[in-house]
Amino acid sequence: MRDRLLDTLDSTTHWRFLVYVMGPYKSHVTENEEMYAFLEIVRDGLRREGFNAFLATDPDIPLDEMDAGTQTLEFARASNVVLFVVPHEGKNLGVGIEVGAVLEDMTDRQRERILFAHEKGIRSAMIGAVGDRWNVTRRTFADEADLLDEVKLFAADVIRKEDTGELPFPPGEES
């Protein structure tokens, strides 16, 4: 899957550093257009910084070829960083299922690549469980600039860990 993503996505400065951006949206559904647009802004901001960020809709893999659940897991496994973004407006059962599936699928080492970012003021026992149960990094953000800063810091740490051998590269990626 990693090679397929690299072949499909537009090139960036650090084109081999994949950042899978996830959040509560449904593509092409009117009620979620604002959330989808926000995630596109996050993706585009990360791409301007050189990271090969993408949404699940970017590779354009037909659902009759690979179902959405399998795509989510394959994209997460192939990425250097998986970013879950949860804003105030982000109420969607689908993303909750996706988050749980990815967290359960990943090993402890792979979870070091996951950043769960939620907007300040969101309180949830399940958000707390993300850090406690699965030992995933959680951060809060006030706006898109704050979110991008948090992701850049997190990604820089993952790059450092990969470069020093502290964190193995994703499957299919050599040093």
Side-chain angles (χ1 to χ4, degrees), residues 73-87:
L73 295 177
E74 290 294 324
F75 294 163
R77 290 174 191 145
S79 296
N80 298 77
V81 167
V82 177
L83 169 63
F84 294 115
V85 180
V86 182

Side-chain angles (χ1 to χ4, degrees), residues 27-42:
S27 60
H28 313 302
V29 176
T30 309
E31 67 190 47
N32 295 107
E33 283 180 8
E34 187 175 316
M35 183 62 219
Y36 188 74
F38 179 76
L39 293 175
E40 286 181 313
I41 289 168
V42 171

Side-chain angles (χ1 to χ4, degrees), residues 102-165:
V102 168
L103 292 173
E104 283 296 316
D105 180 67
M106 300 291 224
T107 65
D108 287 340
R109 293 302 311 215
Q110 290 170 311
R111 289 185 196 126
E112 290 182 50
R113 299 179 176 285
I114 298 174
L115 175 60
F116 189 94
H118 61 91
E119 199 165 2
K120 289 182 179 177
I122 293 179
R123 302 215 190 297
S124 161
M126 282 308 293
I127 289 175
V130 166
D132 299 340
R133 175 177 164 60
W134 290 288
N135 196 28
V136 169
T137 301
R138 288 181 300 148
R139 296 285 186 267
T140 59
F141 65 92
D143 55 28
E144 69 187 55
D146 193 25
L147 174 60
L148 288 172
D149 287 344
E150 290 292 341
V151 178
K152 288 187 294 188
L153 287 171
F154 184 81
D157 191 48
V158 169
I159 290 169
R160 180 193 59 76
K161 288 178 179 178
E162 287 178 349
D163 286 348
T164 62

